[in-house]
Amino acid sequence: MPKMKTNRSAAKRFKVTGSGKLKRNKAYKQHILTKKTTKRKRNLRQSAMTDPTNEKNMKKILPYL
């Protein structure tokens, strides 16, 4: 049986917490920041947990994480 391949783009975007949940960064913080409020940009800095509905698929493409 060959080794399973990790999806490298996903591996760079997600980290596993100690309890096994997936941590991700929020989107919409790259460009066109002038029209976004300071409060909104500040809230985008914090990381978020991956939704439980997506977690099964994420674990499949990240077998060794």
Side-chain angles (χ1 to χ4, degrees):
M1 191 74 180
K3 291 181 188 175
M4 292 173 72
K5 280 197 172 181
T6 299
N7 182 307
R8 295 312 296 162
S9 63
K12 292 168 190 173
R13 287 172 172 85
F14 296 92
K15 298 279 174 265
V16 176
T17 62
S19 59
K21 293 180 180 176
L22 287 172
K23 191 168 76 168
R24 64 172 176 85
N25 286 326
K26 292 180 183 173
Y28 308 110
K29 187 68 170 65
Q30 292 296 317
H31 62 110
I32 316 173
L33 298 172
T34 50
K35 61 175 81 168
K36 293 172 188 151
T37 63
T38 311
K39 181 182 178 181
R40 183 174 164 195
K41 289 185 280 192
R42 187 167 58 241
N43 285 333
L44 288 171
R45 273 186 229 145
Q46 278 110 40
S47 56
M49 293 297 150
T50 305
D51 197 69
T53 55
N54 297 326
E55 212 157 306
K56 187 181 173 187
N57 290 332
M58 297 312 302
K59 294 271 171 101
K60 201 178 285 184
I61 64 173
L62 298 166
Y64 302 108
L65 212 62

